[in-house]
Amino acid sequence: MATESSVKEFSLTELDRKAIDTARVLAADAVEKVGNGHPGTAISLAPAAYLVFQQHLRHDPKDPQWIGRDRFVLSPGHTSLTLYLQLFLSGYGLELEDLEALRTWGAKTPGHPEYGHTDGVEITTGPLGQGLASAVGFAYAQRRMRGLLDADAPAGASPFDHTVWVIASDGDLQEGVTSEASSLAGHQELGNLVVIYDDNKISIEDDTDIAFTEDVLARYEAYGWHTQRVDWTESGEYVEDVQALDAALRAAKAETNRPSIISLRTIIGWPSPTKQNTGGIHGSKLGGDEVAALKSSLGFDPEANFAVDPEVLAHARKVVERGAAAHEAWNADFASWQQANPEGAALLARLEAGELPENWTDSLPEFEAGTSMATRAASGKVINAIADVLPELWGGSADLAGSNNTTIESAKSFAPASRSTSKWNADPYGRVLHFGIREHAAASITNGIVLSSPTRAFNGTFLIFSDYQRPAIRLAALMGVPSIFVWTHDSIGLGEDGPTHQPVEQLASLRAIPNLDVVRPADANEVSYAWQGILELTNTPAGIVLSRQNLPVYDRTAPGFKPASGTLKGGYILAEAVRDGAEVTPDVIIIATGSEVELAVEAREALASDGIAARVVSLPSLEWFNKQDAAYRESVLPAAITARVSVEAGVAQGWRELVGDAGAIISLDHFGASADYQKLYSEFGLTTEAVVAAAKNVAK
């Protein structure tokens, strides 16, 4: 493995300078051609990005998924050209026609970088702050993978050691999520994380002094980061001292006990003659005259568009050869590790294949019928029951471990040993995550972990605080990464804490996010199958929604009751309509989720005494149910049976589609109150009697 002392100081050659300037004019040309975009930062950051990709990033452009690579995160996704231009120059497969197609239909160069769409893009960025926050998760994942597979290797000697490089903007550092995540990064002593902060002091509203004047490096020093400043304006004239930045990056890489941030003072859009250092160059094309003037100032033909000197491109793409050599050297180290660690090698092969262990579901607990248990408690038992057979599973809570039941009891906490407390035994390679009261960062970090490693990470908080996590949840869904969100205290059933903590609209709003699976199990055995279904997902994030209050564990051998395995289909007949001891075509179908299934089951019994045969459908996941074929869905909810009632302690939105115009919706379309949960359900009409009355009405 290469050591810091073996990395030579970078000397900028004439061809390097031409490559950097080529990136600048290509940025201007690309935005000019499409008529919109963000050229300014791509122009002024070209030297920094080029330096990282050519000299510091360990990568193989011909194998973007090489597990031994460093990771690069462009947090200000609006300056996507900053990344695309380096992918082009480095030989990742982007060519001139891709740059010419910037921000157009079907292009490999969308307006913001998209994970899975363009080789070399490690994460979808755009919403400011998400990239840097998730990069902290990337750094978490690197340390966890090392601890899982090669814990005893000397520092810097493991094939699982790598660095996470980030470019961040003023806007990223203004977003609160980066404060949350950066605080955690300092606390965790993530020496494998290096951030270049582009301190250009310009945003859409022009000079950031109107809203942002803090001392960023002082803040990061307080977080426990290693801080450096490189100022290209310090001399009174603009001097792009690439050697100074190179030295700072090398010093950051050498700092292994703290994350590092380098404040790089730039002038946005330099050397654009009249638009540099203005908000106008941030998010608008330069205009023909300005583009021509920029090209002239750099020695390019002002009449030529998308012009690339073949000699310059060949020089830049020598990084392919260097990357291949680094990959080959890594392969030798990796082969030695495989030979010395056959069990670890087998585990890694399984994880990389996205496979779960054979017969792992045998470890899922079965819960005794006739008892009662909060589904959050059942979830905690499931996590602990499967922890030994799924070493890739890890996670924790945003300071709600005891309430969320997210702690793997046999594991140490993931944190430097010095962070141990009287309750928690910390270890750098631990498995229990502590996010503190940082729900948004918890979600972003979880995304970063799952993106950059084959491990499966979860985070826990109350369902109401999913609102704090929504940008990260949406990005997980957009990227199709299987992050896991554990949301407890799922309804007014949490009781006395009152309406600030009682989710009403959250279930509907989360279900509205495409490609997010929301699972709200009704009893402890549904929880087991819910976790099975979630862990079997490979391209969809999921949230499991759990009760605070105890719920009955159903006797699946009782007349008409069906196995909890139906949970895996998202919706199933929990209790069939029965008359005179025999299953019959239902007179009415009652559909419910989570804790309200109890009301549906009680209503079924009451209706039976009045001669009305009711089917109870438990619908823990609408997303999973909608993925079933039409025949199965028809078997559960026959179109011919229009007498339907839904019951859920949340807003009615989304239920009319299932119950139809002839059906009834029992819902909660207002905020809650502070009282015990039985009183709240009674006062707000979420009762067995209400379900019975609605069922009788629609069954007429």
Side-chain angles (χ1 to χ4, degrees):
M1 305 294 291
T3 63
E4 181 59 34
S5 61
S6 69
V7 179
K8 296 181 179 179
E9 182 176 349
F10 177 52
S11 179
L12 198 68
T13 69
E14 184 61 27
L15 283 175
D16 289 322
R17 176 60 67 189
K18 287 183 178 179
I20 290 168
D21 290 341
T22 297
R24 297 187 205 270
V25 298
L26 287 175
D29 279 343
V31 174
E32 201 69 22
K33 183 175 187 295
V34 72
N36 56 80
H38 298 79
T41 303
I43 292 171
S44 51
L45 266 192
Y50 183 82
L51 177 63
V52 170
F53 270 77
Q54 292 288 321
Q55 294 297 319
H56 292 273
L57 187 71
R58 184 176 69 184
H59 61 131
D60 181 353
K62 299 306 178 186
D63 186 2
Q65 298 304 312
W66 169 34
I67 63 172
R69 71 192 184 281
D70 286 351
R71 272 60 165 180
F72 174 79
V73 174
L74 180 70
S75 195
H78 59 269
T79 183
S80 56
L81 278 166
T82 297
L83 175 54
Y84 296 152
L85 289 164
Q86 297 311 315
L87 297 180
F88 163 67
L89 291 173
S90 298
Y92 273 83
L94 286 186
E95 300 299 345
L96 269 181
E97 56 265 29
D98 299 307
L99 299 177
E100 293 185 61
L102 177 73
R103 296 168 72 94
T104 61
W105 177 265
K108 294 180 182 179
T109 49
H112 293 79
E114 296 180 17
Y115 171 76
H117 184 81
T118 309
D119 285 346
V121 173
E122 300 279 6
I123 178 176
T124 298
T125 53
L128 287 171
Q130 290 298 324
L132 174 52
S134 290
V136 175
F138 280 43
Y140 272 49
Q142 184 275 321
R143 194 167 86 193
R144 174 64 185 157
M145 286 291 288
R146 190 190 208 280
L148 190 63
L149 299 171
D150 202 20
D152 296 329
S158 171
F160 304 104
D161 289 333
H162 67 255
T163 302
V164 181
W165 304 91
V166 182
I167 286 178
S169 65
D170 285 306
D172 289 299
L173 297 192
Q174 291 174 52
E175 291 285 359
V177 68
T178 58
S179 296
E180 292 183 17
S182 297
S183 174
L184 277 167
H187 170 82
Q188 289 286 354
E189 301 176 4
L190 297 176
N192 56 339
L193 178 63
V194 178
V195 176
I196 299 173
Y197 158 42
D198 179 27
D199 180 17
N200 65 40
K201 303 190 186 302
I202 292 291
S203 61
I204 290 176
E205 294 186 0
D206 207 76
D207 192 330
T208 56
D209 273 357
I210 197 65
F212 187 56
T213 52
E214 68 184 41
D215 186 337
V216 169
L217 289 190
R219 173 158 62 95
Y220 272 76
E221 186 174 355
Y223 289 152
W225 287 54
H226 173 241
T227 64
Q228 299 178 84
R229 190 182 305 277
V230 176
D231 189 345
W232 286 350
T233 70
E234 191 172 20
S235 64
E237 60 179 310
Y238 197 63
V239 178
E240 288 182 331
D241 190 346
V242 177
Q243 277 67 40
L245 179 58
D246 176 60
L249 289 171
R250 287 186 289 108
K253 179 74 179 292
E255 172 56 67
T256 59
N257 295 320
R258 292 178 290 171
S260 291
I261 185 169
I262 301 163
S263 176
L264 176 63
R265 178 69 173 100
T266 65
I267 293 177
I268 189 171
W270 189 92
S272 176
T274 68
K275 292 193 174 182
Q276 62 175 273
N277 206 31
T278 68
I281 204 170
H282 170 89
S284 302
K285 66 178 185 176
L286 276 68
D289 291 343
E290 188 77 3
V291 172
L294 170 67
K295 291 176 180 178
S296 295
S297 72
L298 294 171
F300 285 73
D301 182 352
E303 301 299 323
N305 296 319
F306 295 97
V308 179
D309 184 334
E311 184 183 10
V312 169
L313 187 59
H315 174 74
R317 288 188 175 177
K318 286 181 181 178
V319 74
V320 173
E321 299 171 12
R322 296 195 293 273
H327 196 160
E328 185 177 354
W330 180 90
N331 283 341
D333 292 334
F334 183 64
S336 297
W337 172 82
Q338 285 179 305
Q339 186 174 6
N341 299 275
E343 290 185 6
L347 172 59
L348 179 61
R350 175 175 71 77
L351 297 183
E352 286 290 306
E355 298 172 352
L356 294 163
E358 186 176 356
N359 300 322
W360 77 276
T361 56
D362 292 347
S363 298
L364 288 167
E366 294 185 17
F367 295 92
E368 183 182 355
T371 60
S372 65
M373 179 181 293
T375 53
R376 61 169 176 158
S379 175
K381 292 184 180 298
V382 171
I383 290 170
N384 280 277
I386 62 178
D388 287 345
V389 297
L390 296 179
E392 65 266 36
L393 183 67
W394 58 313
S397 172
D399 200 56
L400 293 168
S403 295
N404 298 149
N405 296 97
T406 48
T407 300
I408 298 174
E409 301 294 346
S410 61
K412 294 182 179 180
S413 296
F414 179 85
S418 62
R419 308 302 189 198
S420 296
T421 68
S422 59
K423 182 173 182 178
W424 303 101
N425 186 7
D427 183 276
Y429 301 142
R431 199 171 171 188
V432 177
L433 293 170
H434 302 273
F435 297 105
I437 307 167
R438 304 181 183 93
E439 296 88 353
H440 196 172
S444 299
I445 288 169
T446 300
N447 286 348
I449 290 170
V450 179
L451 275 167
S452 64
S453 76
T455 66
R456 297 300 301 274
F458 59 87
N459 67 83
T461 188
F462 291 172
L463 178 59
I464 193 72
F465 301 133
S466 65
D467 286 347
Y468 284 176
Q469 302 183 310
R470 187 167 300 272
I473 296 167
R474 186 177 187 273
L475 274 184
L478 180 62
M479 292 185 287
V481 296
S483 301
I484 301 171
F485 304 94
V486 179
W487 294 314
T488 70
H489 295 58
D490 66 343
S491 68
I492 58 170
L494 70 87
E496 290 84 352
D497 277 341
T500 62
H501 281 53
Q502 292 167 359
V504 175
E505 74 278 18
Q506 279 67 29
L507 284 169
S509 63
L510 289 165
R511 289 171 181 150
I513 299 175
N515 205 43
L516 172 69
D517 292 350
V518 180
V519 191
R520 189 180 185 227
D523 78 344
N525 286 312
E526 282 196 6
V527 171
S528 275
Y529 284 103
W531 269 104
Q532 177 184 337
I534 288 170
L535 288 168
E536 289 174 348
L537 295 170
T538 58
N539 59 2
T540 305
I544 185 168
V545 182
L546 304 163
S547 74
R548 176 182 186 248
Q549 73 272 32
N550 285 349
L551 302 175
V553 180
Y554 296 109
D555 181 359
R556 306 291 174 151
T557 66
F561 277 75
K562 308 299 180 184
S565 57
T567 302
L568 294 171
K569 293 185 178 293
Y572 69 106
I573 301 169
L574 167 64
E576 184 55 285
V578 174
R579 183 176 286 115
D580 299 327
E583 295 184 4
V584 297
T585 300
D587 299 315
V588 63
I589 299 175
I590 307 173
I591 313 166
T593 76
S595 51
E596 289 73 66
V597 169
E598 179 180 9
L599 303 179
V601 170
E602 291 174 352
R604 170 180 175 266
E605 297 171 359
L607 289 165
S609 65
D610 288 336
I612 298 173
R615 169 186 291 181
V616 173
V617 170
S618 178
L619 199 64
S621 176
L622 276 73
E623 294 79 20
W624 292 358
F625 184 66
N626 288 333
K627 290 175 185 176
Q628 308 308 312
D629 60 39
Y632 176 78
R633 286 183 277 115
E634 171 67 15
S635 73
V636 176
L637 296 174
I641 302 176
T642 60
R644 301 180 182 184
V645 176
S646 70
V647 54
E648 185 175 68
V651 297
Q653 184 175 334
W655 283 106
R656 183 57 62 189
E657 181 179 351
L658 285 169
V659 304
D661 291 339
I665 300 172
I666 297 176
S667 58
L668 188 64
D669 292 282
H670 55 78
F671 296 116
S674 179
D676 66 83
Y677 77 90
Q678 295 97 332
K679 180 68 172 176
L680 293 174
Y681 272 81
S682 174
E683 290 293 330
F684 294 148
L686 292 160
T687 64
T688 302
E689 294 76 17
V691 178
V692 169
K696 287 181 176 179
N697 186 53
V698 299
K700 290 179 181 177

